[in-house]
Amino acid sequence: MSLEQPQTRDVGVTPEGDLDYDELADLLDDYLLDREEHLNAQGFVVRPDEVAAVLETLREEAGFDHLSLVTAQDYQDRYESIYHLKKYDDPTHELSVVVPTTRQDPISQSGAPVFETANWHEREAYDLVGIEYDEHPDLRRILLPETWQGHPLSSDYNQDQPQIVPLREQADPMEHKTDAPDEQDSMFVNIGPHHPATHGVLHLKTVLDGEQVVDVDPDIGYLHRCEEQMCEQSTYRHQIMPYPDRWDYISAGILNEWAYARTAETLADIEVPEYAQVIRTMSAEMCRIAAHLLAVGTFALDIYGDFTAIFMYAITDREKVQHLLEDLTGQRLMFNYLRLGGLAWDLPEPREEYFQNVRNFCEYIPERLEEYHNLLTGNELFQMRVLDTGVLPPEKAKDYGCTGPVARASGIDYDLRRDDPYGYYDELEFDVVTRDGCDNFARASVRLEEIRQSARIIEQCVDLLEDWPEDERDIQSNVPRTLKPDPDTEVYRAVEGAKGELGIYIRSDGTDKPGRFKIRSPAFCNLQSMEVLAEGEYIPDMVAALGSLDIVLGEVDR
């Protein structure tokens, strides 16, 4: 007679699958100072010298293996770092680790030894806010020059002080790195920031041993535009929404707008009509197709200079999507179509003609994708360049906080449209595309197949919209003219952008403008993994790995 095995559950999870914050508090009892209520997740306030122990405990014993974002901010009496934790298996399981420090001595222990993705996030917090992270492996500025005076997002920043950048002709650009070789035959090479292979103003500081990459350090900040601070100076209701289009300015505008809309609507408890949710879902998937087509086209250009075939194929098809988006929104790039509580306006008239144009495009996609596979993934030259190069193992992808096609190409089955549903996604049928190759080829393959799934979603949206009763076509809920959420209300929400998890953290201060506005850029997190992708590869393979990440520097730098 066999004995029934007892069911096991994660620490801090109820039998119904919900988070048990009381049990998690007991788990952290030795480190816990206080608890805070955030709109989407509780905040556990811990000592600044126990950060690594807390993060390690939550990862190993409670399964929080995804450090989504680190937010830094200052108050009149303290500085604060907030580590937003999730689970790759269930992103609805969220909590925040809140780390306060004094204004006189803003030093907090680094979380980078536990999560690699904390490395860049903490460097940005140090650079812009002024919090120092003890035991950080490489604490230096990331967006501003090393010689910059002061921290621009700190309330005591003096913007009138002179900024002098000295020329250090003989300085070793890799002197801060501990893993760069000392041998005389190694060579330092600058790639970028003005080079077509770097996909924008990205500077790759590269150390070579012969033609192999020993170490690479992405140098960002050339396109930093203070988007977060501009949003903090704008009103929730009217002035912030045009900015998201300009983060990933190439083709992901509505996806970016939705990230802000979802966060602000949660903050202000705003309902969105179902009809508007369907249109949001349809237009977001159009943007996803446009983004993936550009990613695949430029990737082929990086690999073997294929301009006339793959790149022009991709741009031609992207034009078809942009025509549909232009008919819907009136714009081709900076859409500004979403509004808090709904949309700017309804579908274009005549509706039947627009629906037919959308259907024609969706029916065109499957056959067209076969051509892409014949020209690209079936091409021997392409395969030689991308198979088994730029390998990113799943454990490393999680450690760096990678999401989107980059993570799914490493076998990580993580997609917020399914795992943390919003809009109308939970009513639609689609497959989350994953691959186990972990290489440059797998990342291109995932994007091509996601185009197929996006077309499938769009067709279902058209079916719904065609039959929607005319008297129930509400595009906007009743939203107050001025939004003033309660002071110190905090929320972090995210959507599945074309490049991965695109999230926004907002803390309200009781006015009609955010007290803190923080953007979680998927490209920023994915780019951190470049040192893993490039190590041991040849220079052309490093260029291929960079192209496979599909970064846009406007979103990386913000």
Side-chain angles (χ1 to χ4, degrees):
M1 179 178 178
S2 61
L3 296 176
E4 185 177 349
Q5 295 294 323
Q7 290 186 343
T8 60
R9 62 181 178 86
D10 292 336
V11 175
V13 179
T14 67
E16 293 76 25
D18 301 320
L19 275 186
D20 186 339
Y21 287 109
D22 292 333
E23 187 174 350
L24 289 170
D26 292 338
L27 179 66
L28 300 176
D29 187 52
D30 293 339
Y31 314 108
L32 202 59
L33 297 177
D34 196 3
R35 290 166 68 172
E36 296 180 351
E37 288 295 333
H38 299 184
L39 286 184
N40 61 308
Q42 276 202 15
F44 290 166
V45 183
V46 304
R47 292 164 48 92
D49 57 348
E50 299 284 4
V51 175
V54 170
L55 295 179
E56 181 77 21
T57 300
L58 289 171
R59 187 180 71 175
E60 298 302 324
E61 299 188 36
F64 287 92
D65 57 350
H66 179 26
L67 176 56
S68 179
L69 174 68
V70 179
T71 300
Q73 55 189 331
D74 71 338
Y75 295 80
Q76 289 185 347
D77 60 341
R78 70 190 187 279
Y79 286 98
E80 231 178 48
S81 301
I82 304 178
Y83 295 78
H84 303 268
L85 293 173
K86 292 185 177 184
K87 298 179 182 179
Y88 275 103
D89 289 340
D90 187 351
T92 62
H93 287 185
E94 302 177 73
L95 64 80
S96 302
V97 175
V98 182
V99 188
T101 63
T102 63
R103 292 195 66 85
Q104 296 74 26
D105 191 22
I107 299 177
S108 174
Q109 188 182 37
S110 173
V114 183
F115 291 99
E116 279 285 356
T117 190
N119 186 321
W120 276 22
H121 285 290
E122 290 176 348
R123 284 178 58 192
E124 184 178 346
Y126 161 70
D127 191 3
L128 299 183
V129 181
I131 301 175
E132 297 187 21
Y133 292 91
D134 194 24
E135 301 176 27
H136 190 284
D138 185 21
L139 189 62
R140 56 194 168 95
R141 293 186 183 272
I142 188 170
L143 296 172
L144 299 173
E146 277 297 313
T147 54
W148 195 267
Q149 302 298 308
H151 306 278
L153 292 187
S154 180
S155 58
D156 57 5
Y157 176 65
N158 178 11
Q159 62 182 358
D160 296 325
Q161 64 186 325
Q163 300 291 344
I164 302 173
V165 181
L167 177 63
R168 300 169 63 216
E169 293 184 4
Q170 306 303 322
D172 180 2
M174 300 296 282
E175 62 188 359
H176 63 279
K177 302 289 282 188
T178 58
D179 50 355
D182 296 327
E183 292 82 357
Q184 292 298 316
D185 58 352
S186 66
M187 178 172 59
F188 175 79
V189 175
N190 286 302
I191 301 178
H194 300 291
H195 191 285
T198 59
H199 292 250
V201 280
L202 172 67
H203 177 202
L204 295 177
K205 300 176 181 178
T206 312
V207 176
L208 304 177
D209 182 6
E211 292 187 20
Q212 284 186 295
V213 177
V214 175
D215 190 65
V216 61
D217 178 23
D219 180 19
I220 64 175
Y222 293 89
L223 203 58
H224 188 229
R225 296 164 296 158
C226 301
E227 291 281 354
E228 294 174 4
Q229 196 166 29
M230 287 192 288
C231 290
E232 291 171 7
Q233 296 171 352
S234 304
T235 59
Y236 294 106
R237 183 71 172 87
H238 299 292
Q239 295 177 339
I240 292 179
M241 188 58 81
Y243 286 117
D245 288 312
R246 289 153 176 79
W247 303 340
D248 178 356
Y249 46 74
I250 296 297
S251 50
I254 290 176
L255 294 162
N256 299 348
E257 293 172 24
W258 206 345
Y260 168 62
R262 188 183 189 197
T263 307
E265 286 160 0
T266 302
L267 180 70
D269 193 22
I270 298 172
E271 294 290 333
V272 181
E274 283 195 9
Y275 178 73
Q277 296 282 31
V278 177
I279 298 178
R280 282 185 176 188
T281 304
M282 179 185 70
S283 57
E285 293 307 309
M286 290 179 181
C287 282
R288 193 181 313 277
I289 290 176
H292 285 349
L293 284 170
L294 185 67
V296 170
T298 54
F299 188 46
L301 205 58
D302 289 338
I303 298 301
Y304 54 95
D306 193 344
F307 183 87
T308 54
I310 299 299
F311 182 77
M312 290 311 298
Y313 265 55
I315 295 301
T316 298
D317 292 337
R318 188 171 177 271
E319 283 290 298
K320 299 179 189 297
V321 186
Q322 286 190 285
H323 287 320
L324 297 175
L325 286 166
E326 184 180 13
D327 290 342
L328 177 64
T329 69
Q331 304 291 333
R332 295 180 67 81
L333 281 178
M334 308 301 166
F335 302 113
N336 193 21
Y337 180 57
L338 269 58
R339 297 290 183 271
L340 298 189
L343 307 165
W345 48 72
D346 201 350
L347 296 169
E349 296 288 350
R351 292 165 62 91
E352 293 74 16
E353 180 180 333
Y354 184 72
F355 288 145
Q356 189 57 52
N357 291 337
V358 176
R359 285 193 182 282
N360 290 342
F361 176 76
C362 292
E363 292 169 1
Y364 162 84
I365 285 293
E367 183 178 350
R368 187 67 160 180
L369 282 175
E370 294 305 313
E371 293 190 57
Y372 280 102
H373 282 297
N374 289 336
L375 288 167
L376 193 68
T377 60
N379 186 304
E380 287 187 23
L381 290 176
F382 182 80
Q383 293 174 6
M384 290 170 61
R385 289 290 312 279
V386 296
L387 283 170
D388 298 323
T389 62
V391 174
L392 182 65
E395 63 275 8
K396 281 292 185 181
K398 289 183 177 181
D399 199 22
Y400 279 89
C402 295
T403 53
V406 174
R408 290 191 286 273
S410 292
I412 300 173
D413 191 8
Y414 181 82
D415 190 314
L416 294 179
R417 294 174 296 175
R418 178 201 63 195
D419 300 332
D420 184 13
Y422 56 94
Y424 218 73
Y425 285 111
D426 56 347
E427 302 292 333
L428 305 175
E429 294 183 0
F430 62 97
D431 298 324
V432 175
V433 181
T434 61
R435 294 288 185 269
D436 295 325
C438 306
D439 56 10
N440 293 328
F441 183 88
R443 290 186 277 276
S445 176
V446 164
R447 290 190 179 93
L448 284 173
E449 289 308 305
E450 284 191 0
I451 292 173
R452 190 190 310 275
Q453 295 302 318
S454 291
R456 183 181 170 191
I457 292 172
I458 292 169
E459 282 187 301
Q460 294 174 71
C461 291
V462 171
D463 291 339
L464 291 166
L465 293 169
E466 280 184 327
D467 298 331
W468 210 277
E470 187 172 353
D471 58 352
E472 297 178 13
R473 296 173 186 170
D474 298 323
I475 61 166
Q476 180 78 53
S477 60
N478 187 16
V479 180
R481 183 178 297 274
T482 302
L483 296 175
K484 292 185 178 181
D486 293 337
D488 287 326
T489 307
E490 300 178 58
V491 62
Y492 171 74
R493 295 277 74 189
V495 302
E496 186 66 34
K499 296 168 176 53
E501 180 180 329
L502 175 59
I504 308 291
Y505 165 85
I506 295 178
R507 174 180 59 82
S508 63
D509 59 5
T511 70
D512 61 348
K513 301 175 182 178
R516 181 72 172 102
F517 191 101
K518 173 66 179 173
I519 305 165
R520 194 269 185 199
S521 158
F524 178 86
C525 299
N526 292 343
L527 182 58
Q528 276 194 89
S529 66
M530 189 64 200
E531 59 184 5
V532 177
L533 301 180
E535 186 176 354
E537 302 285 8
Y538 292 102
I539 295 179
D541 298 330
M542 184 185 71
V543 171
L546 177 63
S548 76
L549 292 177
D550 182 28
I551 61 168
V552 168
L553 270 299
E555 183 185 274
V556 172
D557 291 358
R558 288 153 285 124

